[in-house]
Amino acid sequence: IIPFKINYSKKCSLAEAIIEKFKFSKVCFDNSLVTGLASYGNLSGLVVDVGYQFTQGGIIFNGYEMKDTYICQSFGGRDILMSFENNLKRKGIYFSSELDQSIKNINKEYGEIALIDKSKCLETKGIKNIKSKNIILPDGSEIEIKEEIYLSNELLFKSKFSKNKNLTIPNIIENILKSAPVEIRKHIFSNISLIGGVTNTLNFDDRLAQELNVIIPMSSEYHIIGSFSDRETRSWIGGSVLSNNAEYLKSCEIKLD
């Protein structure tokens, strides 16, 4: 699995280092979107990968990335944590450097995506059933969090909380679909696959469905695919699946001993 925009010479250098270090007979390179989709047993679909620093997405068709549909934005889990920390500071709750990991643990364990009440025009005040949560930190202190845990995740879905209107998951999906050939859009839209640890957050799929219902024509049918609990490792699972596919290996760059 390779980082985006890595050039051919770097691939060769990386392959040589891997072969020398691990004594592999061959090395194959592919994008995490391709391998993530393959982990679900599909070769075609729209894939969104929400990671710690980057969110990327695009269309995979018959196992190949359609490069004109590829989008990568520099936002992800890190921005959620920064937003969460800032929201807590507004309540007078501060973390020392020793407790930075606590912020990550809180969001991972208690993080939740808000479901929206359509009668409230999709504004933050329409968040349903906000519940407070009492959390004990490693130093023994206890804090209460409420809307902070929801507002921090809102930047994934609402432009008013993100850096710009394009830095939201629904907008990324919409732009990917617009860049796809018209004749495959219906098929692609029915196969939306999610990967990356951030997409494991509670209610992520349901909230995404709510937002897609707003921006996508009502006549379109979509299907969000993905096992909820292991999305952070889907790219690696798919890499293992593809490495056992003889036809796939023929299309990869291979270096023999």
Side-chain angles (χ1 to χ4, degrees), residues 72-101:
C72 183
Q73 301 283 4
S74 58
F75 84 105
R78 177 180 58 182
D79 298 276
I80 294 173
L81 294 178
M82 291 175 61
S83 174
F84 182 39
E85 184 176 15
N86 289 334
N87 288 331
L88 290 177
K89 286 180 179 178
R90 294 188 183 98
K91 291 184 64 174
I93 300 173
Y94 294 86
F95 288 82
S96 64
S97 58
E98 292 78 15
L99 290 177
D100 282 347
Q101 185 61 39

Side-chain angles (χ1 to χ4, degrees), residues 21-58:
K21 175 72 174 179
F22 298 103
K23 309 304 180 185
F24 293 148
S25 62
K26 54 191 174 184
V27 175
C28 302
F29 295 99
D30 214 330
N31 189 288
S32 62
L33 301 182
V34 175
T35 58
L37 182 64
S39 74
Y40 294 122
N42 296 325
L43 292 177
S44 297
L46 189 155
V47 190
V48 177
D49 179 4
V50 189
Y52 183 66
Q53 296 186 57
F54 297 97
T55 293
Q56 60 174 341

